Amino acid sequence: MRITPLILLLLSLSFPLLGAAPAQADLRITRDHGGYVSEYKEKYQRIRDRHERVIIDGICNSACTLVFGIVPLNKICVTPRASIGFHQAYYDKAFTFGIKVTSAEGTADLMSYYPDTVKDWIRRNGGLTTEMKKIKNGVDLWKIVDPCPEEF
């Protein structure tokens, strides 16, 4: 095939378009019991910065719930299997000999990330405690985040 000036022009115009929009990927949360807050902050900031979507399709407990405060709510949806769990932050270090020691500072940090809709639900349900407080899919969860379209 002979490359003509017209083909070169078309190619030069099309290559920039290929890189113009970043590829969208979805994070599907199905069984996330949480972990280190700092790791979740970094993970969700990357997702936010890439404009990716998050589909909560199962358990999202503890540090996983930071998704509501870092990723824009219009980029998050919940399926009928969604379950969200909140509790106080705690230290889980070797120096505590396996005993969970609650952290007022860590709990305040978690709360500072949550949008008002999450904070309101937590307050209406007695605040954060050592016990897991869960929102199962339904009206209470839909007041915070939209249900996913059926194709998810």
Side-chain angles (χ1 to χ4, degrees):
M1 176 170 114
R2 186 170 162 248
I3 299 179
T4 65
L6 177 59
I7 292 173
L8 281 175
L9 175 64
L10 291 174
L11 287 172
S12 68
L13 291 174
S14 63
F15 281 123
L17 294 176
L18 293 175
Q24 293 253 332
D26 294 332
L27 170 65
R28 184 175 293 269
I29 298 171
T30 58
R31 185 176 288 241
D32 191 328
H33 295 283
Y36 292 105
V37 168
S38 60
E39 292 175 8
Y40 280 82
K41 286 179 182 178
E42 291 173 15
K43 172 180 166 179
Y44 292 143
Q45 286 166 353
R46 283 192 306 273
I47 289 168
R48 178 198 61 211
D49 294 347
R50 288 186 260 185
H51 308 285
E52 295 174 354
R53 295 181 299 186
V54 177
I55 301 160
I56 302 175
D57 190 27
I59 297 167
C60 176
N61 289 345
S62 194
C64 177
T65 64
L66 281 168
V67 69
F68 296 111
I70 298 173
V71 176
L73 290 175
N74 67 353
K75 292 287 192 176
I76 305 170
C77 69
V78 292
T79 73
R81 291 176 292 279
S83 171
I84 313 302
F86 302 93
H87 65 81
Q88 287 177 323
Y90 60 85
Y91 298 105
D92 192 17
K93 304 282 185 188
F95 69 85
T96 64
F97 305 103
I99 298 169
K100 294 178 181 176
V101 177
T102 59
S103 166
E105 183 180 319
T107 300
D109 183 49
L110 281 175
M111 288 295 287
S112 75
Y113 276 85
Y114 294 141
D116 288 340
T117 51
V118 171
K119 290 176 186 176
D120 290 343
W121 185 90
I122 290 170
R123 284 188 196 110
R124 284 194 317 273
N125 288 275
L128 292 181
T129 66
T130 57
E131 298 298 315
M132 186 75 69
K133 295 184 179 181
K134 293 188 177 187
I135 308 175
K136 301 283 186 175
N137 202 354
V139 175
D140 278 346
L141 188 51
W142 298 333
K143 287 178 182 175
I144 295 169
V145 63
D146 290 332
C148 296
E150 286 190 30
E151 68 264 17
F152 290 104

